[in-house]
Amino acid sequence: MFNLLRLIVIILILYFLYQGVRRFFLSDGKKMPIPGEDRAKQVRGEDLVEDPQCHMYVPVSRAIEKRIGDRTLYFCSEACYRAYQESTK
Ligand SMILES: [Zn+2]
């Protein structure tokens, strides 16, 4: 009888320890999303890139990729790319 009670108490302690550990790991792994810029760049899993000329966000798949120096820049259109080239001359 006393052995059974002790077993139940041990199980309860282990259960609460498990809950505590689980909560600790869950709260640690589930970080709050950073509001603002970083969230604005993510739309339905597709990365948005900023056009440095008109500052519009364009999905990577539709952006015009240009390598300027050691940087890769993304533009919404050829016109923006040309305007950017003019402005950086
Ligand atoms: Zn643009």
Side-chain angles (χ1 to χ4, degrees):
M1 192 58 200
F2 281 111
N3 276 340
L4 186 68
L5 269 176
R6 210 180 294 167
L7 189 69
I8 289 165
V9 169
I10 288 166
I11 287 167
L12 278 174
I13 289 167
L14 286 174
Y15 177 74
F16 283 116
L17 276 174
Y18 168 70
Q19 287 291 310
V21 168
R22 215 172 69 124
R23 205 168 300 163
F24 175 78
F25 278 109
L26 278 179
S27 63
D28 192 53
K30 201 174 158 186
K31 285 199 173 77
M32 288 291 285
I34 302 147
E37 208 182 359
D38 285 334
R39 216 176 57 180
K41 284 177 183 172
Q42 283 282 327
V43 172
R44 285 177 197 164
E46 190 172 26
D47 280 331
L48 291 180
V49 285
E50 192 184 350
D51 182 323
Q53 182 59 32
C54 66
H55 299 285
M56 195 173 90
Y57 284 99
V58 200
V60 172
S61 59
R62 285 199 290 151
I64 294 155
E65 194 179 320
K66 296 285 179 189
R67 235 180 128 71
I68 295 161
D70 57 347
R71 291 201 303 158
T72 304
L73 295 169
Y74 296 91
F75 298 90
C76 69
S77 64
E78 281 287 339
C80 272
Y81 169 56
R82 279 194 292 269
Y84 183 81
Q85 274 188 313
E86 289 299 314
S87 71
T88 51
K89 260 177 193 168

